[in-house]
Amino acid sequence: MEMNVTRRQFLKLSGAVAATLAVVELGFDEKKARAESSDFKIAKLKPTPTICPYCAVGCGILVYSTEDDVVYTEGDPDHPINEGKLCSKGTTVRQVYTSEKRVTKPRYRAPGSDKWEEVDWDFALDKVAKNIIETRDRTFIQKENGITVNRTDSIAYLGGAALDNEECHLLQKLFRAGLGLTYIEHQARI
Ligand code: SF4
């Protein structure tokens, strides 16, 4: 009889078999061990699949979380790129959530000021939009040496590894076709 087993099921199965053998060989009470295993930190948590934010490899990660905490993260065994493995950076991805240095609100440093102050999202987004439009209108070049160029050299855009193809396509349309930027780069290419 042919049985179709996914990679994750296989790993779970092999883990369960190995654990059972170890338990029997060491003379432990298997039922007790099994009951206690349900108290493991992540036993009752449903993993949420996501993509590592650090580089363009794009490894899959499973995030085990409660309402207000990220309890554990691990490589996604079903992900075609990393098949459950993670590099040292990806392994520490939980720190994106737990680090004391994590910035959770937008910050603004006014011209001439030497300190950052927390602002709300409405202020931050309005400020960014206003600065982009003002800079673009002030520096826009329609023609150069008689040739239509329709560009600005005064704004640059830097993308990140977590952007997917569709997001990159939309960003290119906005920044290159819409605003006339030529300096468009990607963090993973630098
Ligand atoms: S786990 Fe490592 S290799 Fe994979 S995407 Fe993250 S940083 Fe890149």
Side-chain angles (χ1 to χ4, degrees):
M1 185 179 68
E2 190 181 334
M3 215 171 99
N4 289 325
V5 182
T6 65
R7 184 179 171 81
R8 188 181 310 179
Q9 284 168 334
F10 174 76
L11 288 175
K12 270 189 182 167
L13 203 61
S14 350
V17 170
T20 306
L21 287 175
V23 160
V24 171
E25 275 179 23
L26 293 172
F28 289 146
D29 180 342
E30 186 199 332
K31 277 190 188 151
K32 194 173 166 212
R34 193 186 294 262
E36 287 187 4
S37 75
S38 65
D39 290 336
F40 285 167
K41 266 186 172 180
I42 61 166
K44 291 175 186 154
L45 299 181
K46 194 166 171 272
T48 305
T50 189
I51 305 294
C52 176
Y54 290 132
C55 89
V57 174
C59 297
I61 294 180
L62 295 177
V63 179
Y64 294 83
S65 56
T66 58
E67 283 282 310
D68 55 4
D69 195 15
V70 174
V71 180
Y72 180 65
T73 56
E74 65 181 5
D76 184 348
D78 288 340
H79 198 277
I81 290 174
N82 56 316
E83 299 183 331
K85 298 178 281 296
L86 292 175
C87 77
S88 51
K89 267 167 74 176
T91 306
T92 61
V93 74
R94 182 168 171 266
Q95 290 172 11
V96 169
Y97 176 78
T98 59
S99 172
E100 283 172 13
K101 293 181 185 163
R102 181 182 174 206
V103 176
T104 56
K105 290 185 181 156
R107 289 183 184 175
Y108 172 67
R109 195 177 73 180
S113 170
D114 62 355
K115 55 179 174 292
W116 294 90
E117 50 188 303
E118 281 190 354
V119 292
D120 61 36
W121 280 103
D122 282 345
F123 175 90
L125 293 172
D126 282 353
K127 182 74 182 153
V128 170
K130 207 172 127 203
N131 283 7
I132 288 176
I133 292 301
E134 188 277 320
T135 306
R136 192 253 192 190
D137 289 350
R138 181 167 45 81
T139 62
F140 197 67
I141 306 165
Q142 272 187 314
K143 283 189 182 285
E144 201 170 59
N145 300 327
I147 300 167
T148 302
V149 291
N150 285 339
R151 71 162 198 265
T152 173
D153 296 333
S154 299
I155 308 174
Y157 174 77
L158 182 65
L163 295 170
D164 60 30
N165 282 350
E166 289 74 19
E167 288 166 334
C168 287
H169 176 77
L170 290 173
L171 289 164
Q172 285 283 358
K173 279 177 95 167
L174 170 64
F175 290 115
R176 197 179 295 278
L179 295 174
L181 270 66
T182 55
Y183 298 127
I184 299 178
E185 255 303 347
H186 190 283
Q187 154 253 333
R189 233 167 61 98
I190 299 177

